[in-house]
Amino acid sequence: MRAALFVTCVNDALYPRTGIAVVRLLERLGVGVDFPAAQSCCGQPQYNTGYRYETEPLMRRTARAFAKHAYVVTPSGSCAAMIREHYPRIGRKAAAEGRGSELADAAAALAPRVYELTEFLVDVLGVTDVGAYFPHTVTYHPSCHGLRGLGLGDRPRRLLAEVKGLDLVELPGAEECCGFGGTFAVKNPDVSTAMGTDKITAAAGTGAQVLCGADNSCLAHLDGLLRRADSPMRALHLAEILAATEGEPLP
Amino acid sequence: MSGTYLGMPPFPAAAREAVRDEVLRGNLRRATHTIRDKRARAVAELADWDRLRAAGKAVKDHTLRHLDHYLLQLEEAVTAAGGTVHWAADADEANRIVTELVRATGEREVVKVKSMATQEIGLNEALEAAGIAAYETDLAELIVQLGHDRPSHILVPAIHRNRAEIRDIFRAEMGDWGRPAPASLGDDPRELAEAARLHLREKFLRAKVAVSGANFMVAETGTMVVLESEGNGRMCLTLPETLISVVGIEKVVPTFRDLEIFLQTLPRSSTAERMNPYTTMWTGVTDGDGPAAFHLVLLDNGRTDTLADETGRQALRCIRCSACLNVCPVYERAGGHAYGSVYPGPIGAILSPQLRGTGSEIDASLPYASTLCGACYEVCPVAIDIPEVLVHLRERVAQGGPVTRDGIRVTLRPADGHTAERAAMRAARLLLDHPGALRAGERLLARARRLAPRRLPGAGRAWTDSRELPTVAAQSFRDWWARERSTPR
Ligand code: SF4
């Protein structure tokens, strides 16, 4: 089986380790990985801030970049939700504005082939034990778009529960938003910080060494708060934990 | 809408104060978490919740699509039952109608049933200006009125107050309005409720005129429906001689049977009760029973303009249960006052900028007062996709676009203050749409990463004031891939 990796712009520039982890993980599970170089940002920051017209070219580019792949895998719930939920919406709006069905068609062709990483692992590959080894105490924050947008449910936690050596502890108030919210983090910094601080406080209370998530933008916000507070806890993407093995531990 | 909130600072500034107020945040956190857990349990009891939710949505959507028809049917039914219907295009007209109606009775005071519509139009202030005293009779509303305060929640307007604060307000203020609070009043909820009961009883027995809103209006029968928990509303609806109800035009439902849905979903969503404690229904007037005169003031005040917007109109399905406020993490930190409207929280963030337009700073900032986390959509008993409407309204603010104002289709220009953001979004898009340039940019960033300051100037400060920046990777994923994988292994 082959799958295309949609690494997302945030991971590409700031968290390449997450992308590398996905490649290592999928290859270990026998999936051949392609990385279409024409890919870029899905347009989520533009769309969510109110710039729908700036989103459209990026949407076209994304649809074109992955036109040939039966499976497009991305380690970001919010980017997957953007493509699956909002691309069709943007397409419909363009059509309603009399600009034809091209965008709607592109969305319809791409959306059903896009999988968030844990969906791909659990639903497509049918695995929860990916052979990972990570001897640490971990708590999991399910980001909103994965949780409510995609309905990932307990897939991430099932994957974590099978990791050898990993002690998974429940995060109180896990389903609450961390306060990142894209440009919300800078448009409403006080509320955003208050929400994130409550989240890292709850995480610290679990005694976990690692705060795990499946969306690096939420993790950037939480990690930024953890480091500013000189906390010993680290924020880590799920893919990096799943990629770690006894032979090849987390770099 | 009401002038009460004119000159409000934009949401982020208003929220900053609230975030720093530890007492307020504690009050809000306790109250919202208690009710949200209870609501979840009450909803989980019903096996057919999803179908009730879909049915509520469908009934409301159908009614909104044929609103003209059902409003005329309602007018006919109310009139046939002995009531009088008045139409008010905006707040001023509604206030004028009510003031005239009260004046015609010769009375100088009215008792009020808790109502969002009358708050929306600032009726109490308008009556006061006309020399008429309006007494709120809902316990929480009374606390707000006595405290010269503003409501901060749809259902529990005094949610931001704790017991000690309420005791102080009762002690200091009740005497100026009527029966004073006992000097020994403590902060036990039972004592507080008893003081309010005695204070209000005097008003119920004296009042000749009552003003209410309504949760629902049934078109086929002309029946008005009010749901409340304390029974104070029922006193106002049944004891006085004249009853004046001010109701938004979106509150109509076609048939009496439709109530079956909402009488299940509303109490569970709002107070987590299986059944509502007091549900009062009245149809016109009946000889020797209840008010002798009934006036219904149908309020538009921006609603037909909202109805004209295909995406935004779903906000008119709202049954004001306040479930979305109680689960909203932003509301929990910012408090209700920061929303600058009688409609706070997620529903306020989409309703106010539609009813009032996005012309003011506060209204232009409201669509951004959310992380789009989706918790509000998940709990809404009529399935209003609040995040979708928020993004839609952001578009209106950032890019401009067509809207209907006073029934006329106009094209809005982008709101002021978004020029720099627009330029940045455009620049980012251009870069992102050119992977070659993007790759060069990433390399530059990687090379400069050791120079990265801990705190950024300008817009970036909003991030670095409280958070560290992510460390830029030495090489982008793209570069790693080119090195490691582009040549087959
Ligand atoms: S938007 Fe939905 S959840 Fe919020 S108050 Fe209205 S009906 Fe209730």
Side-chain angles (χ1 to χ4, degrees):
Chain A
M1 182 192 283
R2 292 199 77 77
L5 170 64
F6 173 39
V7 82
T8 85
C9 56
V10 168
N11 292 327
D12 182 19
L14 298 174
Y15 299 97
R17 289 165 46 134
T18 300
I20 296 167
V22 176
V23 175
R24 279 177 52 200
L25 173 64
L26 292 182
E27 288 178 348
R28 191 170 82 216
L29 295 171
V31 179
V33 181
D34 293 330
F35 177 75
Q39 66 177 278
S40 175
C41 169
C42 65
Q44 188 188 179
Q46 287 80 0
Y47 179 67
N48 280 352
T49 314
Y51 297 88
R52 176 162 54 92
Y53 296 137
E54 297 296 335
T55 311
E56 290 181 358
L58 297 172
M59 177 173 159
R60 266 187 217 107
R61 163 173 293 283
T62 308
R64 232 179 0 231
F66 296 105
K68 289 197 200 72
H69 295 89
Y71 298 102
V72 180
V73 182
T74 183
S76 160
S78 67
C79 300
M82 173 71 191
I83 297 174
R84 290 230 298 260
E85 249 187 83
H86 300 301
Y87 274 20
R89 214 168 245 175
I90 296 167
R92 279 197 298 276
K93 283 204 174 186
E97 286 167 0
R99 291 186 285 120
S101 66
E102 174 234 335
L103 275 175
D105 296 343
L110 176 64
R113 293 182 285 119
V114 172
Y115 297 85
E116 186 274 341
L117 176 65
T118 67
E119 286 177 323
F120 185 73
L121 294 173
V122 176
D123 301 355
V124 180
L125 299 185
V127 290
T128 45
D129 184 351
V130 296
Y133 173 71
F134 190 73
H136 300 282
T137 314
V138 175
T139 195
Y140 180 74
H141 166 59
S143 293
C144 303
H145 291 103
L147 184 72
R148 281 176 282 266
L150 297 177
L152 293 183
D154 62 356
R155 290 180 185 87
R157 291 215 297 287
R158 274 163 61 201
L159 288 159
L160 284 172
E162 299 280 353
V163 175
K164 237 173 85 193
L166 187 147
D167 185 12
L168 183 61
V169 288
E170 278 305 312
L171 177 63
E175 305 204 337
E176 255 201 49
C177 177
C178 70
F180 171 65
T183 44
F184 181 84
V186 290
K187 279 182 181 280
N188 284 282
D190 299 276
V191 178
S192 170
T193 298
M195 288 165 68
T197 303
D198 287 349
K199 181 64 75 180
I200 62 165
T201 308
T206 66
Q209 300 158 294
V210 171
L211 173 54
C212 173
D215 237 307
N216 269 331
S217 359
C218 303
L219 291 175
H221 163 66
L222 294 173
D223 191 49
L225 287 165
L226 285 169
R227 284 191 290 129
R228 182 60 58 91
D230 285 324
S231 166
M233 185 181 291
R234 16 179 342 207
L236 208 51
H237 193 287
L238 178 75
E240 294 187 57
I241 294 177
L242 297 182
T245 60
E246 251 161 314
E248 269 188 290
L250 202 69
Chain B
M1 273 171 83
S2 161
T4 323
Y5 299 95
L6 274 186
M8 265 296 289
F11 184 84
R16 186 169 307 135
E17 302 301 315
V19 166
R20 292 188 184 142
D21 185 338
E22 295 290 333
V23 177
L24 173 72
R25 267 182 71 187
N27 293 350
L28 278 171
R29 186 177 170 78
R30 251 189 317 282
T32 55
H33 280 252
T34 310
I35 185 76
R36 86 169 63 153
D37 295 344
K38 279 203 208 156
R39 186 213 69 95
R41 279 198 298 275
V43 163
E45 282 179 0
L46 292 186
D48 60 347
W49 183 259
D50 290 340
R51 285 167 59 200
L52 279 169
R53 187 177 187 240
K57 171 181 190 279
V59 167
K60 282 277 181 181
D61 276 346
H62 167 85
T63 320
L64 289 170
R65 240 188 337 268
H66 306 284
L67 195 59
D68 48 349
H69 165 77
Y70 287 115
L71 286 172
L72 291 174
Q73 192 188 1
L74 176 79
E75 180 179 36
E76 223 167 89
V78 169
T79 312
T84 311
V85 175
H86 310 259
W87 299 82
D90 56 20
D92 287 345
E93 193 174 4
N95 287 332
R96 208 158 48 234
I97 293 169
V98 178
T99 309
E100 288 306 318
L101 289 169
V102 178
R103 275 214 183 110
T105 65
E107 294 296 317
R108 311 294 288 171
E109 59 179 34
V110 301
V111 285
K112 283 194 67 208
V113 185
K114 178 179 164 9
S115 131
M116 296 305 298
T118 60
Q119 280 180 18
E120 176 188 320
I121 59 176
L123 179 64
N124 291 8
E125 293 78 6
L127 289 174
E128 194 188 322
I132 299 163
Y135 298 115
E136 293 293 347
T137 65
D138 171 84
L139 180 55
E141 214 57 81
L142 176 73
I143 295 163
V144 169
Q145 188 175 43
L146 291 177
H148 311 283
D149 199 354
R150 288 194 324 228
S152 65
H153 189 277
I154 292 178
L155 197 79
V156 201
I159 197 168
H160 56 293
R161 299 290 200 182
N162 61 31
R163 285 190 270 145
E165 292 174 301
I166 295 167
R167 177 204 56 209
D168 294 344
I169 292 170
F170 278 10
R171 276 210 206 142
E173 302 286 341
M174 269 187 175
D176 289 352
W177 292 77
R179 185 184 171 119
S184 63
L185 183 68
D187 64 3
D188 176 57
R190 285 241 295 283
E191 262 183 274
L192 293 172
E194 182 62 11
R197 197 179 74 82
L198 293 172
H199 179 82
L200 289 171
R201 174 139 303 230
E202 197 184 80
K203 304 221 150 56
F204 293 136
L205 296 176
R206 200 175 60 210
K208 298 275 193 298
V209 182
V211 174
S212 84
N215 294 90
F216 304 98
M217 314 186 279
V218 181
E220 66 170 355
T221 55
T223 303
M224 313 294 299
V225 188
V226 160
L227 279 71
E228 38 126 16
S229 298
E230 299 166 356
N232 292 343
R234 177 166 294 177
M235 300 272 240
C236 300
L237 294 165
T238 49
L239 290 177
E241 289 163 11
T242 302
L243 173 58
I244 305 166
S245 302
V246 182
V247 192
I249 53 174
E250 82 283 18
K251 298 269 155 160
V252 66
V253 295
T255 70
F256 202 84
R257 244 193 96 171
D258 296 322
L259 294 175
E260 180 225 1
I261 303 163
F262 303 109
L263 292 182
Q264 293 186 74
T265 52
L266 180 52
R268 283 181 202 257
S269 302
S270 60
T271 48
E273 283 159 318
R274 295 184 175 128
M275 196 181 154
N276 196 65
Y278 291 88
T279 302
T280 308
M281 306 192 183
W282 66 104
T283 309
V285 290
T286 309
D287 269 344
D289 185 15
F294 168 55
H295 295 273
L296 171 61
V297 182
L298 287 171
L299 178 72
D300 186 322
N301 207 30
R303 284 161 175 76
T304 46
D305 288 344
T306 305
L307 195 58
D309 187 299
E310 229 173 282
T311 305
R313 70 169 63 130
Q314 55 184 309
L316 296 178
R317 291 206 295 263
C318 177
I319 55 174
R320 312 280 189 263
C321 71
S322 71
C324 59
L325 279 66
N326 298 330
V327 295
C328 178
V330 175
Y331 173 85
E332 182 190 324
R333 272 85 182 182
H337 290 157
Y339 292 80
S341 154
V342 298
Y343 302 113
I347 182 61
I350 61 168
L351 199 54
S352 307
Q354 294 199 82
L355 296 180
R356 304 193 292 208
T358 45
S360 71
E361 269 199 308
I362 176 74
D363 287 316
S365 71
L366 284 177
Y368 294 96
S370 165
T371 63
L372 308 178
C373 81
C376 48
Y377 178 31
E378 193 174 61
V379 297
C380 178
V382 284
I384 300 172
D385 192 340
I386 295 177
E388 180 193 6
V389 182
L390 285 166
V391 170
H392 173 70
L393 295 173
R394 288 178 186 189
E395 202 180 301
R396 183 177 295 176
V397 171
Q399 292 196 334
V403 291
T404 305
R405 282 283 130 212
D406 300 324
I408 299 163
R409 200 87 175 137
V410 292
T411 301
L412 278 188
R413 292 162 45 82
D416 294 342
H418 285 259
T419 323
E421 181 183 273
R422 199 160 37 248
M425 284 290 172
R426 198 175 145 70
R429 195 268 291 162
L430 286 173
L431 182 69
L432 292 165
D433 202 13
H434 293 87
L438 178 63
R439 199 165 162 188
E442 282 170 355
R443 286 193 179 142
L444 261 178
L445 201 64
R447 217 165 296 143
R449 71 199 188 106
R450 307 230 175 274
L451 309 173
R454 196 151 181 246
R455 303 202 189 233
L456 292 176
R461 246 193 71 185
W463 181 281
T464 58
D465 266 356
S466 55
R467 291 156 286 208
E468 295 293 322
L469 283 169
T471 36
V472 176
Q475 74 176 344
S476 69
F477 178 82
R478 227 169 260 280
D479 281 345
W480 175 85
W481 180 271
R483 198 156 307 160
E484 300 289 327
R485 288 291 189 282
S486 60
T487 44
R489 296 197 299 167

